[in-house]
Amino acid sequence: MGGDGPALVAPPLGPRHARPRPYTYGHRPDLRGTGAAAHPDDISHLVLVDALLPGLDLEKAMNVAEGGMWHFGFFMTEHLPEILFGGHELEFFTATFTAMANPGTFTDEDLAAYAHAFTGRERLRGGFAPYRTLLDDGRENRALLARRELPVPAPAIGGARSGIASAQVLSPYAKDVRGAVAPTGHFVAEEDPDWFTRTVTGFLA
């Protein structure tokens, strides 16, 4: 859902309140939105977390004719997903989150909180909105990377299913790509926060 998009994280202020560059991370980032390609002086790292990049490898993963994931095209459809899932938010989050994570990651209370946050068609529509720009994001990513390589370090964390696929796809377009495989499903930070914190801290050191 919408929470998978890029996020900026600012490190603590250093001596004399220097302004360190934040890093940006996300499950489903577009390079323009993160600023990593267009404004690299403002970003220290782009951390990909079990992310498929629009314009590079996402479109292949969306192709159901070749075994790709069906939900991308469905969520990209205007109106229909929120009509069908409205009133069934808890069932929707329970089915999808538990299928994509290691058993026991999300409690009933966790799932109820996610469902509450997206209850109603307007909130669901907001959650599906990032899917509805993926093809545009892909075109913009390809255009940006055609002009210049990604100049900031780009650690790419994959889950047990995806492995280092994102690191392999991004490596021709960036100077510094490092891959790591988490012992998790899609929700790396939620499933193993200690591993995630150690790994990201190591990348940023």
Side-chain angles (χ1 to χ4, degrees):
M1 298 293 287
D4 282 352
L8 288 174
V9 178
L13 291 177
R16 301 181 183 177
H17 298 288
R19 293 187 177 272
R21 292 181 298 167
Y23 62 90
T24 183
Y25 75 95
H27 279 296
R28 208 173 50 247
D30 67 279
L31 298 179
R32 174 184 54 80
T34 65
H39 304 286
D41 292 340
D42 297 329
I43 300 294
S44 70
H45 294 72
L46 171 66
V47 182
L48 303 178
V49 184
D50 206 38
L52 298 169
L53 283 169
L56 299 185
D57 58 349
L58 179 61
E59 288 78 0
K60 181 178 180 180
M62 290 165 51
N63 185 354
V64 294
E66 296 185 3
M69 293 175 279
W70 65 271
H71 70 282
F72 284 101
F74 180 59
F75 293 170
M76 290 168 70
T77 304
E78 295 283 350
H79 309 304
L80 185 59
E82 48 266 40
I83 291 173
L84 294 178
F85 289 127
H88 300 279
E89 291 86 356
L90 181 57
E91 296 165 86
F92 168 54
F93 279 98
T94 300
T96 54
F97 277 34
T98 56
M100 299 172 69
N102 285 337
T105 298
F106 298 104
T107 66
D108 291 343
E109 291 77 14
D110 293 333
L111 296 168
Y114 282 110
H116 176 73
F118 287 94
T119 293
R121 290 187 184 181
E122 290 304 314
R123 292 182 179 184
L124 285 168
R125 184 173 295 114
F128 293 129
Y131 287 90
R132 294 167 184 171
T133 64
L134 286 176
L135 297 181
D136 289 336
D137 294 341
R139 286 187 283 269
E140 292 178 355
N141 285 349
R142 287 191 295 271
L144 283 170
L145 293 174
R147 293 197 297 269
R148 63 181 301 180
E149 66 181 0
L150 191 65
V152 300
I157 297 172
R161 296 178 183 174
S162 58
I164 60 171
S166 291
Q168 291 174 327
V169 169
L170 187 59
S171 59
Y173 304 96
K175 291 181 178 178
D176 186 1
V177 178
R178 288 164 285 169
V181 180
T184 66
H186 179 60
F187 299 96
V188 179
E190 292 86 348
E191 294 178 59
D192 197 335
D194 291 337
W195 185 95
F196 178 76
T197 301
R198 288 195 308 271
T199 302
V200 173
T201 300
F203 281 142
L204 301 179

